[in-house]
Amino acid sequence: MTHTVTRTAANPSSYAQLPIIDLSAADRGPQARKLLHAQLHSAAHDVGFFQLIGHGVTRAETDALTTAMRAFFALPEADRLALDNVRSPHFRGYTRTGDERTAGARDWRDQLDIGAERPARIPGPGEPAYWWLQGPNQWPAALPELRTAALAWIEKLSGVAQRLLHELLTAIGAPADFYDPVFGERAHPHLKLVRYPGSAGDGTDQGVGAHKDYGFLTLLLQDTVGGLQVQREDGLFHDVPPLEDAFVVNLGELLEVATNGYLIATNHRVVSPPHATERFSVPFFYNPSLDARVEPLPFPHASSAPGITDDPANPLFAEYGYNELKGKLRAHPLVAERHHAELLSPA
């Protein structure tokens, strides 16, 4: 049985910045690693968000991706629309500004959705519908460097996320490799290249609406414009100031489920930048295999876990693929209607 987690408000002055975690401390001896674990434990248990430095991603690797991303959004609209995700039953490709939904409302951004490059798997009789989520990406023919940079980014950040998850599980007294079997070659990573073109001009400022991520970990590269906001213990949404060379990390719902609410997935949103100011961001979602069943994590604090947040509008399933499919059908109604009408609930 689940119940809503209630947490006491902290000193509002602490909201000026998220906790800053230096992952490289794991390599600087027992004392530095012990402090890292204390900081990770607190950030994941109390906030669900933090800034990650010391991650080992180089400026050159970041520049390769961001340069290719900006070149993609500078392509003629016809070139981008040639990759329209409405063409893909796997929810891969380009989403036009305003075509994605969060909590039923329009998100004012356009984006390119990319996953592991694998052949399509069309579900057979009796197989789960979430296998539709596996399939090829759509790439711009005029920009081959984007494919190279994006797939390299997925590989690099998968390694960073695995290392971070190992340290996080160790920090709360759990076996570091407990979830390794559901990742590896069968993992289902997801990368978004996102542009916020500025305010919509109609009085709405939803870049992306308030939501939680449904995987294990999200590592976000944001530019200097800002706009990301995180809901803190006071119930209000607080700005996350960009920190140079850092990833904003948040825990997904699977870690909340795995720890029965001891680790928390936190609501967050993006407010559109003012006027015609562009904002670029690159969220990377570290997700397990689609058929992964997330077993409860054995750890010393399990007896004090408060239970997962109960949201009747957002039920959580034991198999990861059902959670992602549920999210995709809601977020991309045009793709859902064209390719998966049989999966949509009757009106």
Side-chain angles (χ1 to χ4, degrees), residues 44-45 169 172 174 179 251 253-264 294-299 301-308:
H45 176 56
L169 296 185
I172 64 171
Y179 290 115
L251 278 59
E253 290 174 326
L254 288 186
L255 271 175
E256 182 171 318
V257 170
T259 62
N260 197 29
Y262 187 80
L263 302 180
I264 57 172
V294 179
E295 300 295 333
L297 185 68
F299 69 112
H301 307 281
S303 61
S304 62
I308 63 172

Side-chain angles (χ1 to χ4, degrees), residues 71-81:
F72 171 74
F73 286 110
L75 289 173
E77 184 181 41
D79 288 9
R80 286 179 275 125
L81 290 177

Side-chain angles (χ1 to χ4, degrees), residues 56-246:
V57 179
T58 67
R59 179 66 63 88
E61 289 169 319
T62 300
D63 287 348
L65 182 71
T66 56
T67 299
M69 172 176 67
R70 288 175 179 268
F72 171 74
F73 286 110
L75 289 173
E77 184 181 41
D79 288 9
R80 286 179 275 125
L81 290 177
L83 313 180
D84 195 326
N85 72 343
V86 175
R87 296 156 44 102
S88 169
H90 318 294
F91 297 88
R92 305 290 178 88
Y94 177 68
T95 303
R96 287 177 282 194
T97 303
D99 275 2
E100 187 173 17
R101 301 288 190 269
T102 299
R106 179 189 63 182
D107 293 330
W108 200 245
R109 61 179 184 173
D110 60 344
Q111 65 189 32
L112 186 67
D113 281 281
I114 303 164
E117 192 65 78
R118 293 178 184 144
R121 178 169 175 182
I122 299 172
E127 287 191 318
Y130 57 64
W131 288 119
W132 278 112
L133 300 174
Q134 177 176 306
N137 296 298
Q138 297 192 73
W139 302 107
L143 202 62
E145 61 268 34
L146 179 64
R147 184 184 193 277
T148 301
L151 293 181
W153 193 258
I154 287 175
E155 182 176 359
K156 181 75 174 189
L157 263 66
S158 292
V160 174
Q162 181 188 46
R163 186 180 182 207
L164 176 60
L165 181 60
H166 282 184
E167 296 297 339
L168 174 56
L169 296 185
T170 301
I172 64 171
D177 59 355
F178 187 77
Y179 290 115
D180 281 6
V182 299
F183 284 98
E185 293 183 357
R186 299 177 61 250
H188 188 74
H190 180 204
L191 175 65
K192 284 178 179 279
L193 308 180
V194 185
R195 175 180 62 177
Y196 297 87
S199 57
D202 60 0
T204 61
D205 63 354
Q206 175 171 304
V208 60
H211 66 286
K212 300 177 181 181
D213 297 339
Y214 34 76
F216 266 71
L217 292 168
T218 302
L219 281 69
L220 171 72
L221 177 70
Q222 61 172 342
D223 65 11
T224 59
V225 173
L228 174 65
Q229 297 182 333
V230 172
Q231 190 172 34
R232 301 296 296 268
E233 298 93 327
D234 61 358
L236 303 177
F237 282 86
H238 295 264
D239 290 330
V240 178
L243 184 64
E244 189 175 14
D245 295 329

